[in-house]
Amino acid sequence: MTSPNATVNRKSKLKPWRLGNLVVTALVLCLGPVLMVVGTLQINADDELVRTGKQVPGTITEFHDRSKASDRRMKVEFQTPDGAAQYEWVAVDFEQHPVVGEEVTVAYREADPGQAAVLGFESDGVFFRGVGTVLTCIFGGIGIFLFICYLLGVRKDRKKLAEQQDGGGHRS
């Protein structure tokens, strides 16, 4: 017969649905930081392009003024030295009010004119970094809250177990 205080070595098996929940939770928690990194890399690439790329004049050919910040975009046309027309869609901040036909400066990579940035307008990376920051704050805050609740529950369970053990030893 075994004592009630005897410990049994059992390997805990992680059930498949718990493993799935763990994977989904890890992915959700990593989504925000990943978007922040992607956005920052994109912003840095655009900044480097503005510093080192070939600068040419461009013309605003379309402007979509929407109420949602992520939908405010303009299309800029510019020409490469070989005469080929190139187009670049650029995010527009709320304080900016571009006009169709207005000239702007475009910086592009000579080896790949499809990589271009318009000086004075934000990179698409700003959107991704912003979304990543918001997601990190929301999911990180929820994660911290749940972790604190878990720790408080463990503490409460330990206290209850200690009270049961103390109460059981003092009986006559």
Side-chain angles (χ1 to χ4, degrees):
M1 187 158 164
T2 58
S3 157
N5 293 333
T7 58
V8 179
N9 253 349
R10 291 184 195 167
K11 288 187 178 179
S12 74
K13 282 190 170 180
L14 198 56
K15 295 184 169 105
W17 62 271
R18 284 194 178 221
L19 182 62
N21 285 346
L22 188 62
V23 168
V24 169
T25 301
L27 289 174
V28 167
L29 287 174
C30 292
L31 181 62
V34 166
L35 285 175
M36 288 172 62
V37 168
V38 167
T40 300
L41 291 174
Q42 196 170 7
I43 290 168
N44 291 342
D46 285 349
D47 287 347
E48 177 70 19
L49 187 59
V50 166
R51 279 194 309 277
T52 63
K54 181 169 177 75
Q55 294 188 8
V56 295
T59 306
I60 299 171
T61 57
E62 289 181 47
F63 173 51
H64 299 275
D65 192 6
R66 305 266 172 37
S67 60
K68 285 177 54 180
S70 60
D71 288 342
R72 293 190 88 231
R73 302 184 69 71
M74 69 179 187
K75 183 178 180 183
V76 176
E77 179 182 349
F78 63 98
Q79 303 252 330
T80 57
D82 62 0
Q86 296 287 329
Y87 298 95
E88 181 69 18
W89 283 95
V90 182
V92 179
D93 197 4
F94 272 111
E95 291 84 34
Q96 297 172 314
H97 303 286
V99 177
V100 173
E102 182 180 351
E103 275 205 8
V104 292
T105 303
V106 178
Y108 70 94
R109 193 168 317 288
E110 289 188 76
D112 181 12
Q115 289 185 340
V118 179
L119 279 68
F121 292 89
E122 66 183 33
S123 166
D124 285 337
V126 172
F127 172 76
F128 290 115
R129 188 169 64 183
V131 169
T133 302
V134 169
L135 289 177
T136 300
C137 289
I138 290 170
F139 293 129
I142 290 171
I144 290 169
F145 174 75
L146 292 175
F147 182 68
I148 289 171
C149 289
Y150 169 76
L151 290 178
L152 291 174
V154 167
R155 182 175 174 216
K156 185 177 175 182
D157 289 345
R158 284 186 181 163
K159 188 175 179 181
K160 193 182 283 186
L161 182 63
E163 287 172 359
Q164 287 174 352
Q165 287 177 351
D166 286 344
H170 295 298
R171 291 187 187 168
S172 343

